Amino acid sequence: MYTEIVLECGRALAEVLSDALIEGGALAATIEDAHAGSEGEEPLYGEPGMATADSAWAQSRIVVLFEEGANCGALIRRAEKSAGVITPLKQSSRSVANEDWVRLTQSQFEPIAISPSLYIVPSWHARPSAADANAVLIELDPGLAFGTGSHATTRLCLQWLEAQDLRDKVVIDYGCGSGILAIAAARLGAGRVLATDIDAQALVAARSNATVNRVELEVVSSDVFPDVTADVVIANILANPLKVLAPLLSRLVKPGGRLAVCGVLKRQVDEVRAAYEALLPLEVWQISDDWACLCGRVPA
């Protein structure tokens, strides 16, 4: 048996306290959004064109795992003191059975049906029985970079890509994360695919996932992105960086080409459209779970 302790704290304490708990003997310490699954849930990603995002949420929850028999109270008090906590934090605890954690974690990630002909499949799963005979299966395991197909924004982008004629086209995935959109574009027939991100971990993940899926991607840092334009440009980021990047993303699209942007909440649609209006007018393509995918075409 293990003991799991959940501590509630603010953003300023979350990372330093988590580190102190690990240094003090905890087996694991995971920072989560205290409002996850509710209307107050806060998206937290590092995105191209913007400073690195905060490492924790305004209202954070630290889930700490201790070995059976550990003096959890003393370890937590020591960590709180090390982190500069004056008033003991609110906490709750429970016992956790000794399980096969790898198998348990893997069981939480099932194949994701983007459409009957496009699936995201973890490496440990067999081909989904519902998949069409000629369905495109993208092998992708959960990892450090954003983009596993489970979030509404990623699904919207994949569905948009599948709706385009990508045969022999040049495609740019700007803010590629795991590389899932770039890989999908390559598997859907694109002739040349460039994937870029400001996060070094994302670039490593994109290259690795491209190898696993046997596709060729040009993966480069957005700091040194080549002077190239594309038939299709897609950016699954967030509203603020998308507004900042409007001039750049618009310039990347060839005459007659298309741009799709996602990571925009329904309430943010008008402000994002306004940022692109004089460059490349955008319209809402689809909305899912309050997230919108916008797209537009450059005149030929």
Side-chain angles (χ1 to χ4, degrees), residues 13 16 79-87:
L13 277 175
V16 65
E80 287 178 335
K81 182 178 180 180
S82 175
V85 177
I86 299 173
T87 304

PDB file of all heavy atoms in Angstrom, residues 13 16 79-87:
ATOM      1  N   LEU A  13       3.575  28.776  -4.975  1.00  0.00           N
ATOM      2  CA  LEU A  13       4.148  27.731  -4.125  1.00  0.00           C
ATOM      3  C   LEU A  13       4.271  26.380  -4.821  1.00  0.00           C
ATOM      4  O   LEU A  13       5.067  25.537  -4.400  1.00  0.00           O
ATOM      5  CB  LEU A  13       3.280  27.544  -2.875  1.00  0.00           C
ATOM      6  CG  LEU A  13       3.500  28.497  -1.700  1.00  0.00           C
ATOM      7  CD1 LEU A  13       2.463  28.219  -0.625  1.00  0.00           C
ATOM      8  CD2 LEU A  13       4.904  28.322  -1.143  1.00  0.00           C
ATOM      9  N   VAL A  16       7.911  24.971  -6.212  1.00  0.00           N
ATOM     10  CA  VAL A  16       8.941  24.873  -5.183  1.00  0.00           C
ATOM     11  C   VAL A  16       8.548  23.863  -4.112  1.00  0.00           C
ATOM     12  O   VAL A  16       9.392  23.113  -3.601  1.00  0.00           O
ATOM     13  CB  VAL A  16       9.234  26.266  -4.565  1.00  0.00           C
ATOM     14  CG1 VAL A  16       8.030  26.810  -3.808  1.00  0.00           C
ATOM     15  CG2 VAL A  16      10.441  26.203  -3.646  1.00  0.00           C
ATOM     16  N   ALA A  79       8.813  19.864   4.186  1.00  0.00           N
ATOM     17  CA  ALA A  79       8.788  20.425   2.834  1.00  0.00           C
ATOM     18  C   ALA A  79       8.138  21.806   2.837  1.00  0.00           C
ATOM     19  O   ALA A  79       8.596  22.724   2.147  1.00  0.00           O
ATOM     20  CB  ALA A  79       8.032  19.482   1.897  1.00  0.00           C
ATOM     21  N   GLU A  80       7.071  21.971   3.607  1.00  0.00           N
ATOM     22  CA  GLU A  80       6.412  23.271   3.692  1.00  0.00           C
ATOM     23  C   GLU A  80       7.365  24.329   4.252  1.00  0.00           C
ATOM     24  O   GLU A  80       7.438  25.454   3.753  1.00  0.00           O
ATOM     25  CB  GLU A  80       5.164  23.177   4.566  1.00  0.00           C
ATOM     26  CG  GLU A  80       4.007  22.438   3.892  1.00  0.00           C
ATOM     27  CD  GLU A  80       2.793  22.321   4.794  1.00  0.00           C
ATOM     28  OE1 GLU A  80       2.970  22.353   6.047  1.00  0.00           O
ATOM     29  OE2 GLU A  80       1.682  22.191   4.269  1.00  0.00           O
ATOM     30  N   LYS A  81       8.120  23.944   5.265  1.00  0.00           N
ATOM     31  CA  LYS A  81       9.083  24.880   5.855  1.00  0.00           C
ATOM     32  C   LYS A  81      10.151  25.258   4.833  1.00  0.00           C
ATOM     33  O   LYS A  81      10.517  26.436   4.699  1.00  0.00           O
ATOM     34  CB  LYS A  81       9.727  24.255   7.091  1.00  0.00           C
ATOM     35  CG  LYS A  81      10.704  25.177   7.813  1.00  0.00           C
ATOM     36  CD  LYS A  81      11.275  24.526   9.058  1.00  0.00           C
ATOM     37  CE  LYS A  81      12.258  25.454   9.768  1.00  0.00           C
ATOM     38  NZ  LYS A  81      12.826  24.827  10.985  1.00  0.00           N
ATOM     39  N   SER A  82      10.637  24.254   4.090  1.00  0.00           N
ATOM     40  CA  SER A  82      11.652  24.507   3.071  1.00  0.00           C
ATOM     41  C   SER A  82      11.128  25.427   1.980  1.00  0.00           C
ATOM     42  O   SER A  82      11.871  26.243   1.425  1.00  0.00           O
ATOM     43  CB  SER A  82      12.117  23.178   2.459  1.00  0.00           C
ATOM     44  OG  SER A  82      13.009  23.389   1.397  1.00  0.00           O
ATOM     45  N   ALA A  83       9.835  25.313   1.670  1.00  0.00           N
ATOM     46  CA  ALA A  83       9.231  26.111   0.600  1.00  0.00           C
ATOM     47  C   ALA A  83       8.744  27.474   1.088  1.00  0.00           C
ATOM     48  O   ALA A  83       8.239  28.266   0.288  1.00  0.00           O
ATOM     49  CB  ALA A  83       8.072  25.342  -0.029  1.00  0.00           C
ATOM     50  N   GLY A  84       8.875  27.727   2.377  1.00  0.00           N
ATOM     51  CA  GLY A  84       8.466  29.020   2.913  1.00  0.00           C
ATOM     52  C   GLY A  84       7.000  29.113   3.264  1.00  0.00           C
ATOM     53  O   GLY A  84       6.455  30.211   3.383  1.00  0.00           O
ATOM     54  N   VAL A  85       6.344  27.971   3.452  1.00  0.00           N
ATOM     55  CA  VAL A  85       4.928  27.961   3.826  1.00  0.00           C
ATOM     56  C   VAL A  85       4.814  28.274   5.314  1.00  0.00           C
ATOM     57  O   VAL A  85       5.446  27.605   6.144  1.00  0.00           O
ATOM     58  CB  VAL A  85       4.279  26.602   3.522  1.00  0.00           C
ATOM     59  CG1 VAL A  85       2.834  26.586   3.991  1.00  0.00           C
ATOM     60  CG2 VAL A  85       4.369  26.300   2.036  1.00  0.00           C
ATOM     61  N   ILE A  86       4.026  29.279   5.656  1.00  0.00           N
ATOM     62  CA  ILE A  86       3.858  29.668   7.059  1.00  0.00           C
ATOM     63  C   ILE A  86       2.670  28.955   7.680  1.00  0.00           C
ATOM     64  O   ILE A  86       2.777  28.332   8.740  1.00  0.00           O
ATOM     65  CB  ILE A  86       3.694  31.197   7.170  1.00  0.00           C
ATOM     66  CG1 ILE A  86       4.950  31.901   6.629  1.00  0.00           C
ATOM     67  CG2 ILE A  86       3.431  31.606   8.618  1.00  0.00           C
ATOM     68  CD1 ILE A  86       4.822  33.398   6.548  1.00  0.00           C
ATOM     69  N   THR A  87       1.523  29.027   7.029  1.00  0.00           N
ATOM     70  CA  THR A  87       0.317  28.363   7.526  1.00  0.00           C
ATOM     71  C   THR A  87       0.171  27.013   6.833  1.00  0.00           C
ATOM     72  O   THR A  87       0.192  26.956   5.590  1.00  0.00           O
ATOM     73  CB  THR A  87      -0.935  29.215   7.240  1.00  0.00           C
ATOM     74  OG1 THR A  87      -0.768  30.509   7.816  1.00  0.00           O
ATOM     75  CG2 THR A  87      -2.182  28.546   7.810  1.00  0.00           C
TER      76      THR A  87
END
